[in-house]
Amino acid sequence: MIVSFIKILLIGYLSFFQADQPTFKGGADALNNFITSKTIYPGFSKNNCIQGTIYVSFQVNKNGEVFGAKVNKGLGVDLDLEALRLIRLTNNKWEVPANHNENSRLIIPVNFSLKNYGCDSRSGDEINKSIALYQARAALEKAVTNYYRNKEQGNASDKNEAEILQLKAELGFDDSFIANKLKDAKKMIKQGDKAGACESLYFIKYIGSDVANTLIAENCK
């Protein structure tokens, strides 16, 4: 069995535990364990051996709620979105000192790495090409999702559907892709991350599949 191991590095995180800064309940080890347990390694990056550190900055209010999260430095692939999702999941898990300035931003570097996954032979050039491919796919994916959004509203032309079906085939939006996307969405629901799950479920819907409709009705109101 091929297994992927995800290691979360908290480089520089110790500075967060100084006075007047919010601290994750249980400390740095608890944060590390939390992120590790919640990580769902994104499909494109896993399949293309893309690894690296994503720096996410965010703010914490007096109630320990996370807001204003954004990627400060990423790779421009789906790892960025997963790192951002993980930090948002820490909502309400922070202890906040009374004199904390809510305008200050914390930065957590989240490191994604794959072990025993056949990635050792991948060159830096191959990985960079994969990153460029991901970014090029974004516009094509948008063309597909826009078509099905318009179709739902009765504004899509049937004569264009053959082109969209060809585009879906080129993008690999097949039954296996949809099944994996649905599996990840179900994991997010179990984690209590309905926002992340609904994003994935609606993506499935708007690439022309109805397999997510029941979960959308149950979780995405």
Side-chain angles (χ1 to χ4, degrees):
M1 179 186 296
I2 298 175
V3 181
S4 64
F5 294 92
I6 302 159
K7 184 180 180 183
I8 307 299
L9 300 181
L10 300 175
I11 303 170
Y13 183 75
L14 290 179
S15 63
F16 297 168
F17 289 87
Q18 297 173 354
D20 303 330
Q21 292 284 6
T23 58
F24 190 82
K25 295 175 181 178
D29 287 342
L31 176 59
N32 182 43
N33 293 335
F34 176 83
I35 292 179
T36 300
S37 69
K38 299 296 185 182
T39 297
I40 302 172
Y41 211 106
F44 185 91
S45 289
K46 183 165 64 176
N47 293 335
N48 290 277
C49 294
I50 301 175
Q51 309 171 72
T53 302
I54 312 301
Y55 293 83
V56 179
S57 71
F58 61 101
Q59 293 159 264
V60 179
N61 67 19
K62 64 181 180 180
N63 297 318
E65 297 169 334
V66 171
F67 68 101
K70 65 179 182 178
V71 174
N72 267 30
K73 182 179 179 182
L75 295 175
V77 293
D78 47 6
L79 291 180
D80 294 6
L81 301 177
E82 177 61 9
L84 189 59
R85 187 186 77 86
L86 290 167
I87 296 307
R88 287 173 175 162
L89 276 178
T90 68
N91 191 53
N92 290 318
K93 297 184 181 298
W94 296 87
E95 295 179 349
V96 183
N99 58 349
H100 168 61
N101 181 357
E102 293 185 3
N103 293 321
S104 64
R105 300 188 68 84
L106 305 180
I107 298 178
I108 291 183
V110 182
N111 185 73
F112 295 89
S113 63
L114 291 165
K115 302 298 182 185
N116 302 324
Y117 208 75
C119 293
D120 294 342
S121 62
R122 294 275 290 179
S123 69
D125 184 57
E126 288 176 313
I127 291 172
N128 286 335
K129 287 180 179 178
S130 294
I131 292 173
L133 174 62
Y134 178 91
Q135 295 168 350
R137 284 170 56 97
L140 301 179
E141 290 181 358
K142 188 173 182 179
V144 173
T145 56
N146 282 347
Y147 173 82
Y148 285 104
R149 286 177 187 274
N150 289 332
K151 184 175 182 179
E152 183 181 49
Q153 298 170 2
N155 298 325
S157 172
D158 291 339
K159 68 179 182 179
N160 295 330
E161 188 159 17
E163 297 177 5
I164 295 299
L165 291 175
Q166 178 62 35
L167 188 54
K168 285 171 61 175
E170 293 174 3
L171 289 168
F173 290 168
D174 55 15
D175 290 344
S176 177
F177 173 88
I178 292 171
N180 287 329
K181 197 76 173 176
L182 187 64
K183 182 180 178 181
D184 287 347
K186 289 179 178 178
K187 288 181 182 178
M188 294 177 196
I189 291 172
K190 288 183 178 180
Q191 293 176 357
D193 181 18
K194 287 192 175 183
C198 289
E199 184 176 342
S200 293
L201 293 171
Y202 275 114
F203 182 81
I204 292 171
K205 177 178 180 178
Y206 291 123
I207 60 172
S209 173
D210 61 2
V211 300
N213 288 357
T214 298
L215 286 175
I216 289 174
E218 293 173 349
N219 298 281
C220 308
K221 299 176 180 179

